[in-house]
Amino acid sequence: MTPAERKLWLVLRGFPVRFRRQRPVGPYIVDFYCAEAGLVIEVDGESHYNEEGRVRDAKRDAYLQGLGLRVLRFTNLELLSSAEGVASVVERALARPQG
């Protein structure tokens, strides 16, 4: 795991639902997945910031959302500079019903 992924993993372990990391979902491997909440969390590094990366991510997100999953994306910088803020966003997502 990258340093940002390790930080997020520590955050996610504090929630009452179970997240798994590096889970296959269809043709994709998602960074973090909670089946109970229908939630995917992706940690984006440099390769996601160019046009090709944005197009690839949009296709991936559309596929996952087509399965009824919610997708949250955070940058490495967000995780490394404000893990508490990321935790709040995840907490709000878990509080919202799926669908």
Side-chain angles (χ1 to χ4, degrees), residues 46-88:
E46 291 292 321
S47 66
H48 298 265
Y49 304 140
N50 58 40
E51 185 60 29
E52 182 181 326
R54 284 188 287 276
V55 168
R56 190 174 49 245
D57 288 345
K59 181 180 176 184
R60 177 188 186 102
D61 290 354
Y63 175 84
L64 295 169
Q65 291 166 352
L67 296 176
L69 301 173
R70 295 175 290 165
V71 180
L72 295 179
R73 287 188 170 276
F74 299 103
T75 66
N76 287 337
L77 182 60
E78 286 174 308
L79 278 156
L80 295 174
S81 65
S82 180
E84 301 81 19
V86 168
S88 293

Side-chain angles (χ1 to χ4, degrees), residues 4-72:
E5 288 171 334
R6 277 193 296 277
K7 192 159 217 174
L8 180 57
W9 183 240
L10 291 173
V11 167
L12 295 177
R13 292 175 61 96
F15 287 105
V17 294
R18 183 175 182 183
F19 280 89
R20 295 183 177 266
R21 55 187 189 87
Q22 298 297 300
R23 286 308 273 191
V25 178
Y28 299 105
I29 304 285
V30 300
D31 291 335
F32 298 93
Y33 175 60
C34 176
E36 180 182 338
L39 184 62
V40 169
I41 302 176
E42 293 289 319
V43 179
D44 294 345
E46 291 292 321
S47 66
H48 298 265
Y49 304 140
N50 58 40
E51 185 60 29
E52 182 181 326
R54 284 188 287 276
V55 168
R56 190 174 49 245
D57 288 345
K59 181 180 176 184
R60 177 188 186 102
D61 290 354
Y63 175 84
L64 295 169
Q65 291 166 352
L67 296 176
L69 301 173
R70 295 175 290 165
V71 180
L72 295 179

